[in-house]
Amino acid sequence: MKYDVLIIGSGPGGYVTAIRASQLGFKTAVVEKENLGGICLNWGCIPTKALLKSAQVYDYLKHVDEYGLKAEAIDKDFEAVIKRSRGVAEGMSKGVQFLMKKNKIDIIDGFGKVKPGKKVDVTDKDGKVTEYSADNIIIATGARSRELPSLPQDGKKVIGYREAMSLPTQPKSMIVVGSGAIGVEFAHFYNSMGTDVTVVEFMPTIVPVEDKDVSKQMERSFKKAGIKVMTSSSVESVDTSGDGVKATVKTKKGEEILEADIVLSAVGIKTNIENIGLEDVGIITDRDKILVNDWYQTNIPGYYAIGDVTPGPALAHVASAEGITCVEKIAGLHTEAIDYGNIPGCTYATPEIASVGLTEDQAKEAGYELKIGKFPFSASGKAKAAGTPDGFVKVIFDAKYGEWLGCHMIGAGVTDMIAEAVLGRKLETTGHEVLKAIHPHPTMSEAVMEAVADAYDEVIHL
Ligand SMILES: Cc1cc2nc3c(=O)[nH]c(=O)nc-3n(C[C@H](O)[C@H](O)[C@H](O)COP(=O)(O)OP(=O)(O)OC[C@H]3O[C@@H](n4cnc5c(N)ncnc54)[C@H](O)[C@@H]3O)c2cc1C
């Protein structure tokens, strides 16, 4: 069977690429070995947000008296919380199935392996191999939880993110290793549900890729919520021979033994590049990633790669954007290359974190003279009314030309606010233009305008 475009993997990279390819008139197929929608819909972005919503509702209920309300016998049903999350994921996967049908995209069930001569072998669950060929083969096989040699995952006491979002019973205590977005989201979820959580982070701050002010605020908020945070610390080994887990943690002050029911390893991802035929075709990889150019072409003509399997931020919106760019280029459209300096990153704990562009340290290192503004939500009427005054918006401008270099937010709902900074930066706006764009009152988004005003010494509500 011959296709114009054949994609291996149906995550937000693969399925979005397939839809765009079909819109462009290509005869398109997607090969998938598991569930349509990939990690994002089934084991990542969406089911975690469903869990976090349950945590948020539960947190509201626990503090209902602060809103002048009364509720009795507040409790949780952990199994039902997990079931809801799995149900949301299942529904989303079915939605992708509908979209494939609507766009006349063939779904091929099985494990795809590229071969020379623009061919792909697909092995189905019964072991039957079928050969397909395509003018353009796009590899979008994504990634899985990374295992550290000191922290081998047994799926029961030392777990990865898949187990963490489908545990049959709630652990009483949990050690979360790694404080990137995944670690922090699970730490918040389990803490809200009543698990005793300790976060162990190798770097000197939690959420270490964020601006230092954001990291500090997150640590304050976590500690206030009762989460123990150990920075500049690393888990050296785990002993799972007893009832729970004993983790040996190296800290600045020496070694400490932590005990917990479960250890969640959230130390990053490992790409799915094994046994997919890369060596047979001669496709070059480097440090676990498939190397591509601006248009996602590998070194072998006709073979492309997008999403987590390539270098760059491992995010769903990046995978989708890369796939769209890739097929638009194949179709001969004058599409723009992706600007990796303008990609928003979000963490959906409480408080939420959202950022884009350079941090203060990065901007200083790049030699810019800076104008920095900051507006705390404690001065925002909307945040006060909502009972969510923690956090701030911080904006960073180049003093000379007014370029908006970075925007960093922490607080309630900021993941929905960061798009303003992404769009502003895309349109090369200046601080004064943002200031003169009237923001509605009362909203959390006013904090962006006020932070910009603060950078230019025109802030009103501080
Ligand atoms: C817990 C968690 C939370 C996350 N939250 C967010 C978030 O909030 N926002 C965000 O932007 N990102 C988030 N991410 C990251 C996001 O899920 C990934 O960046 C995104 O899914 C990558 O998309 P992809 O298409 O490259 O690969 P994937 O989504 O990994 O999809 C790859 C697909 O390929 C299939 N596959 C692999 N090998 C083969 C083969 N040989 N043959 C056939 N099929 C194959 C897999 O089964 C899978 O379905 C999260 C990740 C995790 C783990």
Side-chain angles (χ1 to χ4, degrees):
M1 220 170 317
K2 171 111 201 263
Y3 290 96
D4 298 324
V5 174
L6 187 142
I7 303 155
I8 308 179
S10 74
Y15 88 79
V16 169
T17 307
I19 293 172
R20 187 70 187 114
S22 170
Q23 287 172 348
L24 291 164
F26 291 129
K27 184 171 157 51
T28 306
V30 175
V31 184
E32 174 56 58
K33 69 178 171 66
E34 226 177 300
N35 297 317
L36 289 176
I39 293 301
C40 175
L41 270 62
N42 296 287
W43 297 104
C45 326
I46 304 301
T48 50
K49 273 63 219 182
L51 295 177
L52 290 163
K53 190 70 201 177
S54 292
Q56 188 191 39
V57 173
Y58 191 39
D59 283 340
Y60 268 125
L61 286 172
K62 284 184 271 180
H63 295 105
V64 73
D65 55 325
E66 290 169 23
Y67 295 85
L69 304 170
K70 282 196 174 123
E72 276 158 30
I74 294 159
D75 205 356
K76 55 165 193 249
D77 177 347
F78 184 75
E79 215 179 299
V81 168
I82 297 287
K83 198 171 160 207
R84 174 178 181 273
S85 164
R86 298 315 310 149
V88 171
E90 211 175 292
M92 294 299 294
S93 184
K94 280 194 187 130
V96 174
Q97 204 167 353
F98 162 80
L99 289 173
M100 296 295 99
K101 201 170 168 198
K102 182 184 161 209
N103 287 283
K104 302 187 172 54
I105 295 159
D106 286 352
I107 302 166
I108 305 168
D109 291 333
F111 187 93
K113 185 173 177 178
V114 292
K115 297 204 304 187
K118 297 197 199 172
K119 292 196 170 65
V120 172
D121 269 352
V122 178
T123 309
D124 72 12
K125 59 179 182 324
D126 301 321
K128 188 177 152 228
V129 181
T130 309
E131 185 185 88
Y132 297 87
S133 68
D135 290 337
N136 303 283
I137 295 166
I138 303 178
I139 302 163
T141 49
R144 58 186 187 271
S145 179
R146 183 173 151 226
E147 282 199 56
L148 291 180
S150 59
L151 211 54
Q153 295 176 22
D154 61 11
K156 289 195 167 65
K157 287 188 189 170
V158 182
I159 61 172
Y161 57 79
R162 282 199 190 213
E163 294 86 10
M165 67 184 86
S166 55
L167 286 177
T169 50
Q170 185 184 348
K172 284 200 174 60
S173 52
M174 179 183 265
I175 299 166
V176 177
V177 186
S179 72
I182 295 176
V184 159
E185 288 182 9
F186 279 114
H188 165 63
F189 167 71
Y190 276 101
N191 178 63
S192 292
M193 287 287 123
T195 298
D196 186 13
V197 176
T198 304
V199 174
V200 180
E201 170 57 55
F202 178 71
M203 301 295 280
T205 56
I206 60 166
V207 282
V209 299
E210 300 294 344
D211 188 274
K212 61 185 177 203
D213 289 350
V214 169
S215 291
K216 271 189 219 149
Q217 172 67 51
M218 195 66 194
E219 190 165 336
R220 267 199 302 273
S221 298
F222 259 22
K223 285 182 173 164
K224 197 166 123 189
I227 298 172
K228 289 175 227 57
V229 175
M230 296 172 73
T231 48
S232 303
S233 303
S234 57
V235 174
E236 297 294 291
S237 62
V238 283
D239 175 2
T240 55
S241 58
D243 277 351
V245 191
K246 278 187 187 157
T248 306
V249 182
K250 193 166 133 201
T251 72
K252 270 192 189 161
K253 291 181 195 150
E255 264 185 10
E256 233 181 89
I257 309 283
L258 298 184
E259 291 190 37
D261 287 350
I262 275 186
V263 173
L264 165 61
S265 173
V267 293
I269 55 166
K270 158 80 193 79
T271 57
N272 297 321
I273 56 169
E274 305 89 347
N275 309 318
I276 58 168
L278 299 181
E279 302 77 12
D280 304 342
V281 178
I283 293 172
I284 295 177
T285 61
D286 181 37
R287 275 168 289 171
D288 198 37
K289 306 266 180 167
I290 300 176
L291 293 189
V292 288
N293 65 10
D294 279 355
W295 312 112
Y296 309 98
Q297 294 163 325
T298 68
N299 58 308
I300 306 292
Y303 295 82
Y304 305 78
I306 57 153
D308 279 7
V309 88
T310 62
L315 292 167
H317 41 287
V318 174
S320 302
E322 289 177 347
I324 289 171
T325 306
C326 175
V327 280
E328 287 185 349
K329 194 70 183 175
I330 291 172
L333 266 55
H334 291 286
T335 187
E336 248 181 83
I338 290 176
D339 172 5
Y340 284 90
N342 198 28
I343 289 172
C346 295
T347 302
Y348 299 77
T350 297
E352 293 183 352
I353 296 172
S355 56
V356 65
L358 300 180
T359 63
E360 183 177 343
D361 285 349
Q362 287 167 342
K364 277 184 186 153
E365 237 166 70
Y368 288 103
E369 200 185 311
L370 304 179
K371 273 203 177 295
I372 295 179
K374 204 168 166 186
F375 190 80
F377 286 118
S378 56
S380 150
K382 181 68 184 286
K384 290 288 255 189
T388 53
D390 281 353
F392 56 82
V393 173
K394 175 174 175 178
V395 292
I396 301 168
F397 288 91
D398 162 38
K400 200 166 171 195
Y401 299 111
E403 185 187 349
W404 196 350
L405 298 173
C407 185
H408 307 274
M409 306 174 171
I410 178 163
V414 295
T415 54
D416 283 319
M417 282 164 53
I418 196 67
E420 172 174 1
V422 178
L423 183 64
R425 282 163 45 79
K426 171 82 182 153
L427 300 177
E428 297 181 4
T429 190
T430 62
H432 282 104
E433 286 170 320
V434 180
L435 257 180
K436 297 298 172 199
I438 299 165
H439 287 57
H441 177 76
T443 56
M444 298 291 277
S445 70
E446 283 173 297
V448 177
M449 186 176 67
E450 288 276 39
V452 174
D454 184 48
Y456 291 92
D457 298 323
E458 294 178 34
V459 69
I460 302 292
H461 291 98
L462 273 186

